[in-house]
């Protein structure tokens, strides 16, 4: 009976090690698509911005992509930008700023080896 339980535990242990090794191999594989540039327009989202930025970082980490985050904001959104700065500092990443979205980037163009994603949190105009 003890021998059977030991064998079952050994099999479970080896299976867990195999899954862990395959996952590490997947994470270490370079992404052929390069990196992604994120343009974020926060528009006074102090209550939601932390969850949004964390979800974005988590998604890109699990996809194995490196990224840069550029915040498009003016002075009225200072509190939202401060929250984003704090989160990116914890992640060990730099943050860049723009005062307006460049017209050639508004469509979410894909150029060269990287893509640009525009995340617009402004309220839709009616």
């Amino acid at each position: 009976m003890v021998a059977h339980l030991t064998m079952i535990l050994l099999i479970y242990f080896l299976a867990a090690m195999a899954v862990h090794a395959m996952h590490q191999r997947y994470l270490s594989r370079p992404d052929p698509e390069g990196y992604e540039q994120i343009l974020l327009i926060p528009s006074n989202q102090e209550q939601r911005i932390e969850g949004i930025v964390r979800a974005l970082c988590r998604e890109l980490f699990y996809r194995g992509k490196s990224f840069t985050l550029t915040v498009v904001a003016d002075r009225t959104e200072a509190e939202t930008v401060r929250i984003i700065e704090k989160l990116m500092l914890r992640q060990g990443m730099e943050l860049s700023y723009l005062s307006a979205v460049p017209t050639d980037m508004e469509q979410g163009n894909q150029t060269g080896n990287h893509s640009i994603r525009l995340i617009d949190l402004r309220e839709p105009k009616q």
Side-chain angles (χ1 to χ4, degrees):
M1 173 100 169
V2 172
H4 290 339
L5 289 175
T6 304
M7 183 61 91
I8 291 170
L9 288 174
L10 179 63
I11 290 170
Y12 275 120
F13 175 77
L14 292 175
M17 292 300 295
V19 168
H20 180 72
M22 288 188 297
H23 181 69
Q24 289 301 321
R25 183 174 177 212
Y26 173 77
L27 289 179
S28 66
R29 185 177 55 192
D31 188 6
E33 296 177 14
Y35 72 94
E36 191 166 331
Q37 182 177 355
I38 310 292
L39 288 176
L40 177 64
I41 305 174
S43 185
N44 292 323
Q45 299 287 331
E46 291 89 8
Q47 296 81 19
R48 299 179 22 196
I49 198 67
E50 184 171 352
I52 291 168
V53 172
R54 285 181 188 270
L56 179 64
C57 291
R58 191 171 33 249
E59 174 215 341
L60 292 167
F61 174 76
Y62 286 132
R63 286 178 38 210
K65 291 192 114 178
S66 59
F67 68 97
T68 59
L69 181 65
T70 303
V71 175
V72 180
D74 57 15
R75 291 187 182 125
T76 62
E77 300 156 350
E79 183 63 24
T80 305
V81 171
R82 189 187 63 75
I83 294 169
I84 296 170
E85 285 175 342
K86 184 175 74 171
L87 289 170
M88 295 307 286
L89 183 63
R90 283 187 198 159
Q91 297 286 331
M93 300 184 71
E94 291 185 31
L95 188 62
S96 56
Y97 304 95
L98 290 175
S99 58
V101 179
T103 55
D104 61 332
M105 293 184 182
E106 286 190 13
Q107 295 86 19
N109 297 339
Q110 299 239 345
T111 57
N113 260 354
H114 68 282
S115 61
I116 300 170
R117 187 189 327 178
L118 177 63
I119 300 174
D120 191 350
L121 302 175
R122 295 177 290 191
E123 296 294 324
K125 295 179 182 177
Q126 298 176 0

